[in-house]
Amino acid sequence: VLNSEAVVSTQSTGESDSDNDSGGSELYKESSSASKQPSFWMGTQNGFVVLHSAVEESGISLTRVRLKDSILEIRYIKKQHSVLVGCADSKVVVFSTKSATGVGWDVKNYRVVLLGFTSILAMPVSVITPVQNSVWLGYGGNIAVLSLPEMNVKEEHLFDEGERALVTHMVPVGHGVWVACRFNCILTLLDTKTLQPLQQVNMEEVLKPVSQSYGFTTIIRISAVLCYNNLLWVGTSQGALVTIPLKSLSPSNTAYVTEPPPTTETTPMFAMRGEARISLHGHQGAVRYILVARYKNEKKHFNTATGDAGKRRNECTKIVLSGGEGYISYRDMDAGTLSTIRRGRIIRGFTDHCHMIAWDVSGPSTVVS
């Protein structure tokens, strides 16, 4: 939730809406209070952007608008107080608040930004990430940079020339952005000013020493990425989670790192591959997401001067959540059992239900364990 606006992108369940918005289901009955309520957004495969109330328990949407192609990504840009919607036809749709009042979303009057002017084929906009005073967009194997507040295409960069390349992960840290593509095992750190690569980390090489003991039987691919608490969190297609410490200087003792030019960057953003830690807890299937969550924890503080219990205080605690199919404890199983589970066979005591793992990151030097 950001400034009372939660932004979520989902896929439809296959039930198509009529092309005519009038008349339709009661689930899409527009509410007159849409401009005043906190809302969350959903995008559907058939091109609808739907706003629902974030405070009322109601199945009726506040408002909706239909675009020309599938909705793949929705991102709230806090600095601009705008919502960017990535579509499958190389277009980004920009929604803003109503200019007259400054509150509420004007979903009827939006701006369309076309990416890839030199390309004949449409490429899906798969990821949108705010980076300092700009917004980075991944579409196909390309990266586009939008300027703020104009929302104009400032620069376009070819990241991967592969025919099936699709940029799916972009995580900013310091003056760099960690980028990864679908069906790929390599993480690349790009400079935010030049978009040139500063460092690369091959996750297959990171996991190679434990591949046999962890029962990895297929090619490893990156499925989720997060930078938090001076750690690079990486989820893989095998269900394993890895944390790599981030430093302010580039390591020079590994062959898997492209040495960057001299830099005065003090924010930790370079990955220390040799210090990677692999969690003993993971998922049976691919790690679908890694994110940071906050919750308030009420605690009593003891007054050492008087010996009395002090007032209750609400402290904000942060945790990292990972989600995926099933759960595996590598500590309790041998390689043969793990390989059997990964081949999809039914093992007593295990299910393929979705699981979420919570990681305590309250400590100063958190590593997954």
Side-chain angles (χ1 to χ4, degrees), residues 57-126:
E57 295 184 6
S58 173
I60 300 177
S61 66
L62 300 177
T63 185
R64 69 171 182 164
V65 62
R66 187 167 193 175
L67 305 179
K68 294 183 177 180
D69 213 327
S70 300
I71 311 301
L72 303 181
E73 176 79 349
I74 303 179
R75 176 68 65 145
Y76 174 67
I77 309 300
K78 187 176 182 179
K79 286 185 177 181
Q80 197 66 19
H81 198 50
S82 300
V83 171
L84 271 61
V85 177
C87 303
D89 56 358
S90 299
K91 294 178 182 177
V92 177
V93 179
V94 182
F95 293 95
S96 302
T97 55
K98 296 180 179 179
S99 57
T101 61
V103 296
W105 295 101
D106 190 358
V107 297
K108 302 301 181 183
N109 299 302
Y110 51 82
R111 179 184 173 189
V112 178
V113 180
L114 178 63
L115 304 177
F117 296 102
T118 59
S119 177
I120 300 176
L121 299 175
M123 291 174 283
V125 181
S126 52

Side-chain angles (χ1 to χ4, degrees), residues 216-284:
F216 297 155
T217 57
T218 58
I219 299 174
I220 295 171
R221 296 292 180 254
I222 296 168
S223 60
V225 184
L226 171 72
C227 286
Y228 179 71
N229 208 28
N230 292 338
L231 290 174
L232 180 63
W233 298 68
V234 184
T236 68
S237 57
Q238 295 282 358
L241 290 106
V242 183
T243 54
I244 307 176
L246 297 176
K247 304 294 183 181
S248 57
L249 298 177
S250 175
S252 58
N253 58 349
T254 171
Y256 307 105
V257 174
T258 301
E259 290 298 327
T263 177
T264 57
E265 173 62 43
T266 58
T267 302
M269 66 178 192
F270 294 100
M272 306 296 290
R273 177 197 171 278
E275 300 179 20
R277 297 286 299 272
I278 304 171
S279 173
L280 294 175
H281 306 276
H283 299 278
Q284 294 182 23

Side-chain angles (χ1 to χ4, degrees), residues 163-211:
E163 184 178 350
R164 300 177 62 191
L166 182 66
V167 178
T168 50
H169 306 285
M170 293 194 299
V171 182
V173 55
H175 289 290
V177 180
W178 284 99
V179 182
C181 285
R182 177 185 60 176
F183 307 138
N184 207 310
C185 63
I186 297 177
L187 269 170
T188 303
L189 178 65
L190 298 182
D191 188 284
T192 55
K193 295 182 179 180
T194 65
L195 274 75
Q196 295 302 308
L198 299 178
Q199 183 183 12
Q200 287 187 333
V201 177
N202 189 326
M203 293 309 299
E204 282 192 342
E205 296 294 339
V206 171
L207 293 172
K208 187 176 181 180
V210 297
S211 292

Side-chain angles (χ1 to χ4, degrees), residues 299-304 306-312:
K299 292 183 178 180
K300 277 188 175 183
H301 289 262
F302 186 76
N303 191 328
T304 55
T306 62
D308 299 328
K311 295 182 179 179
R312 293 181 180 267

